[in-house]
Amino acid sequence: MNQSTIGQIALPMGGSVQLQQLEFGRGSQILSVVSGLHGDEYNGLGACARLARFLRQVETQQTPYRLVGRVRLFSASNALALVTGERNWPVDQTDLNRLFPGYVAGEATQRLAHFIYEAVRSSRLCVAVHSGHELVEWPQARSFQDYPTGNQALATGLPLSWVQPREDLRQGSLEKTLQQQGVDCLLLTGGQAQQLDPGMAEQLQAGMVRLALHLGILHGPLLPPVHPPRQVRQVQVCLAERAGLWLPSVRPGDLLLVQQSLGEVVDPLTGELLQLVSTKTSGYVMSLHIRPLVTQGSLLVRVAVV
Ligand SMILES: [Zn+2]
């Protein structure tokens, strides 16, 4: 394992925020993993800590696996926000994942984006790990329409691999910027913000190990998936029609029948029923709104149509 600081942001009273890179193995093929772009998402950090421990064991020949390429981890890419538990850079609330490819002569977050982008742009594949923000996500890999990463998403062995519409790629995100430059990028997501779910971190880590095996960067025994992986091309979105208190009756990963109830929106003061929410199609609950209060238009449930 080679640990290095690849970028620093000096703080006004001394000290600095550092961008750390852990590198394992050698060779020209590189799998990069970026987590913690949003500082309130800890499942990626947990998954990367597990992956780093596993790769150290691989390097010291304590496992039947062998590295034949390189894995680079940028686990705490927005370190200051991870410490304070905020989604965005704490000083000016900038979303780091809207600033790629960054700017070396710019402000703190523009420079941070630049350091990350320069470090991952030579990768064969870059994986960005996230969690839900207002949603809790069933573990899933996301590729994008018109980009050739659908098979890599399936190779993670996570329960769902969603081919997202091209319009979902946000300007300035790491995934859009890399793919526009011809570098393959996948998103992995699972769980929710402000929580580290050990089981979720384990599933995401196993997904990255399967990906490294699929890419030929790691050699060794296959890891069978826990759930049969399914490619999702169609997603049904259920929105709140009224502001109110959201009382869901399903959980992520539930298999739904047509017209099945998903929950209700009620008046938080009187309890009056405002909206019965049900699904139009059968499928799996892939994302579920977790905050109790919703406003008109809030995304309540995403159903992966199967
Ligand atoms: Zn995120």
Side-chain angles (χ1 to χ4, degrees):
M1 181 183 85
N2 186 0
Q3 183 169 4
S4 53
T5 303
I6 59 160
Q8 294 197 52
I9 306 292
L11 295 171
M13 311 304 174
S16 64
V17 177
Q18 301 187 342
L19 178 62
Q20 300 265 335
Q21 170 186 287
L22 297 188
E23 185 174 88
F24 301 86
R26 50 174 72 95
S28 59
Q29 299 286 309
I30 303 169
L31 169 64
S32 292
V33 180
V34 176
S35 78
L37 283 172
H38 294 133
D40 59 349
E41 299 173 7
Y42 294 100
N43 286 318
L45 193 62
C48 283
R50 292 183 59 100
L51 185 58
R53 185 166 59 188
F54 168 76
L55 292 172
R56 276 207 315 278
Q57 290 168 347
V58 171
E59 284 190 331
T60 52
Q61 295 170 356
Q62 298 175 57
T63 74
Y65 292 92
R66 187 164 56 89
L67 269 169
V68 287
R70 280 187 275 177
V71 179
R72 283 184 182 160
L73 303 184
F74 307 88
S75 317
S77 49
N78 196 351
L80 190 59
L82 283 159
V83 170
T84 59
E86 291 168 78
R87 179 175 174 82
N88 298 325
W89 179 254
V91 180
D92 58 7
Q93 292 302 316
T94 316
D95 185 342
L96 181 58
N97 203 30
R98 296 290 178 274
L99 295 175
F100 290 98
Y103 177 45
V104 70
E107 294 184 40
T109 40
Q110 291 172 311
R111 294 213 312 284
L112 198 48
H114 167 81
F115 297 141
I116 296 166
Y117 182 73
E118 289 301 315
V120 303
R121 64 187 297 188
S122 58
S123 310
R124 161 132 180 238
L125 175 71
C126 179
V127 175
V129 191
H130 290 265
S131 298
H133 182 46
E134 295 190 321
L135 302 162
V136 58
E137 302 281 0
W138 206 30
Q140 58 199 264
R142 296 181 180 180
S143 59
F144 294 89
Q145 212 177 13
D146 305 331
Y147 289 105
T149 46
N151 285 339
Q152 294 168 346
L154 265 177
T156 62
L158 294 176
L160 298 177
S161 59
W162 180 20
V163 184
Q164 274 193 278
R166 202 188 172 103
E167 311 82 79
D168 286 4
L169 275 169
R170 303 289 180 83
Q171 195 62 37
S173 65
L174 181 62
E175 51 276 18
K176 180 163 186 161
T177 311
L178 283 174
Q179 292 191 122
Q180 282 176 329
Q181 296 302 316
V183 182
D184 288 344
C185 186
L186 275 187
L187 295 191
L188 302 192
T189 186
Q192 65 191 77
Q194 297 295 356
Q195 281 193 13
L196 202 167
D197 173 348
M200 186 63 66
E202 186 178 350
Q203 287 198 61
L204 294 171
Q205 181 236 351
M208 293 189 278
V209 171
R210 289 187 202 103
L211 200 51
L213 287 165
H214 172 78
L215 294 171
I217 283 173
L218 186 69
H219 286 181
L222 295 177
L223 279 182
V226 181
H227 301 270
R230 290 182 169 80
Q231 192 164 61
V232 180
R233 289 188 172 270
Q234 197 188 342
V235 167
Q236 184 203 335
V237 169
C238 305
L239 304 177
E241 291 164 4
R242 305 269 299 273
L245 182 67
W246 164 230
L247 302 171
S249 55
V250 292
R251 290 184 306 177
D254 282 358
L255 179 58
L256 306 169
L257 306 170
V258 181
Q259 299 296 342
Q260 186 170 333
S261 168
L262 302 173
E264 39 191 53
V265 178
V266 302
D267 183 308
L269 304 181
T270 66
E272 182 198 347
L273 178 65
L274 302 176
Q275 180 187 355
L276 261 176
V277 184
S278 59
T279 175
K280 295 186 182 67
T281 62
S282 61
Y284 289 94
V285 176
M286 65 188 293
S287 319
L288 182 70
H289 193 97
I290 37 167
R291 297 228 177 131
L293 294 171
V294 295
T295 54
Q296 185 182 349
S298 291
L299 171 56
L300 300 176
V301 185
R302 258 195 217 112
V303 179
V305 180
V306 293

